[in-house]
Amino acid sequence: MALTREQLAQRVAQELQDGYYVNLGIGIPTLVANYVPEGMEVMLQSENGLLGMGQFPTEDEIDADLINAGKQTVTMATGASLFDSATSFAMIRGGHVDLTVLGAFEVDVNGNIASYMIPGKLIKGMGGAMDLVAGADNIIVTMTHASKHGVSKLLSNCTLPLTGKGCIKKVITDLAYIEIKDGKFHLIERAPGVSVEEIIALTAGELVIPDNVPEMAV
Amino acid sequence: MSGFDKVVASYEEAMAGLEDNMTVIAGGFGLCGIPEGLIAQIEKMGTKGLTVASNNCGVDNFGLGLLLPKRQIKKIIASYVGENAEFERQMMSGELEVQLTPQGTLAEQMRAGGAGIPAFFTATGVGTPVAEGKEERNINGRDYILEEAITGDFAIVKAWKADRYGNLVFRHTARNFNPMAATAGKITVVEVEEIVEPGELDPNEIHTPGIYVNRLIKGNFEKRIEQRTVRSV
């Protein structure tokens, strides 16, 4: 079975480490915050100027001056700090954020990512995504492996305008955990109950299959 | 106004001198920390042909979206513009020129503009549509593109508190682009929630020194929320 959004977030959360500063993108990445392992401390960075993002507010706590990068009302965690946008992106571009998790439309075997624009259809802008992929060493892309119509999102060459070039090394989809190196996808884990053959069929770019492909623990 | 006192009496006075075809830098992230009254004043003045640099362009009928129905904006430089139907219509029809700029690059362009740095190299956007037509250089084995600073004829800024000298304090994430915008305007106009006497703000806690501020006005803010998200108790 393909992973649900929650299971996907759960698998990504296993990549967290104690003491990490983490930037979570909009969508599935946001859900990762719900699965921080017990006893582990991570601090969430929101690129509009907050380090130490807390949970959503109660009705009484709502404050129009306190939002996240998705413009949702949030709270501050204990030990939070606030800063301007230039400082925020200095953190991001300067490589100070330990882990970035973001969504994508397409990823290819050379680590290119397309996530912000579908020409003629969706032109909303890149927000902070280009800065995030350019600045972070440790990036996890989360997305469905293929479109609803079964078209692979793991390609030989991205077809949409790029968000970043050669910057993606890890992709966790609803079917598989894949690493990118030497111009190839490498299958590391598969979703419980999903066969290697299913993954091969939905991966358009060259995929290296090791002898043993363990199931994800979710 | 006298000496260092930056307080003006009216919105007319606050935006006096804004003319057609000028460049305006605006603070704010979404609808958070936007100079609501200054934007409304520009709408009222009917100034046209503006180039606006702002992270977003408001929503239909609020924030910078107010300047769209009368086609007051000719060009917008922004990182994300997805919340606005009239905006999309004008962009698709070519009535509105849109220059999509990565958020961190936009913040740094304003910062640089206010700091006398004409341009800077950044890895953000290398190999993407953002790099088109820009100088590229390899520095210590990595590719970078040259991005030019942004300055404005006017900067419009929202702060929480100010003293009469224009020393500013921002609140929570309503700070966002406002401090950089404040430095990058030939004329910087700030709309605040509260104005106090010089000496009342702790100098240790001032985010933007008054040297950047030309005009100051106390506003009444609606503070509209775009995504009201709550948890159940």
Side-chain angles (χ1 to χ4, degrees), chain A residues 26 46-50 55-76 82-87 89-90 93 113 116-117 120-136 161-165 167, chain B residues 29-33 55-56 78-83 87-88 91-92 100-105 107-108 111 120 122-130 142-143 158 160 171-180 193 222-233:
Chain A
I26 294 163
S46 188
E47 62 261 30
N48 56 319
L50 168 60
Q55 49 191 342
F56 291 130
T58 61
E59 267 310 323
D60 292 343
E61 288 172 338
I62 285 183
D63 186 333
D65 288 339
L66 192 54
I67 62 169
N68 65 16
K71 293 157 193 160
Q72 297 170 310
T73 45
V74 291
T75 59
M76 290 185 275
L82 295 154
F83 35 85
D84 63 58
S85 300
T87 304
F89 282 92
R93 222 188 288 101
I113 173 171
Y116 84 101
M117 187 201 235
K121 268 192 195 164
L122 180 74
I123 307 173
K124 293 193 168 183
M126 66 292 282
M130 282 194 183
D131 306 279
L132 282 159
V133 297
L162 295 184
T163 308
K165 192 180 166 188
C167 47
Chain B
F29 183 95
L31 301 179
C32 181
N55 189 55
N56 316 90
S79 86
Y80 191 83
V81 291
E83 322 288 356
F87 185 97
E88 204 165 312
M91 176 170 67
M92 292 310 221
L100 289 176
T101 299
Q103 196 175 142
T105 296
E108 193 66 11
R111 197 197 68 79
F120 55 90
T122 178
T124 302
V126 168
T128 77
V130 167
R142 190 162 186 205
D143 292 330
K158 192 269 167 179
W160 179 30
R171 184 168 178 276
H172 295 350
T173 56
R175 191 181 325 182
N176 57 63
F177 281 79
N178 282 299
M180 282 77 65
E193 294 178 46
E222 177 187 334
K223 293 198 187 183
R224 197 180 289 186
I225 293 173
E226 261 179 275
Q227 305 283 342
R228 175 178 285 268
T229 320
V230 294
R231 70 172 194 274
S232 43
V233 192

Side-chain angles (χ1 to χ4, degrees), chain B residues 10-15 18 27 31 33-45 62-64 66-67 156-159 189-193 217-223:
Chain B
S10 66
Y11 281 101
E12 286 76 14
E13 201 181 329
M15 293 311 296
L18 180 72
L31 301 179
I34 57 170
E36 297 176 17
L38 299 177
I39 295 167
Q41 176 60 23
I42 298 174
E43 184 202 14
K44 196 172 150 195
M45 290 163 72
F62 198 63
L64 289 170
L66 286 175
L67 305 185
I156 55 172
V157 168
K158 192 269 167 179
V189 189
V190 185
E191 189 180 17
V192 296
E193 294 178 46
I217 189 163
K218 185 185 168 311
N220 292 303
F221 295 87
E222 177 187 334
K223 293 198 187 183

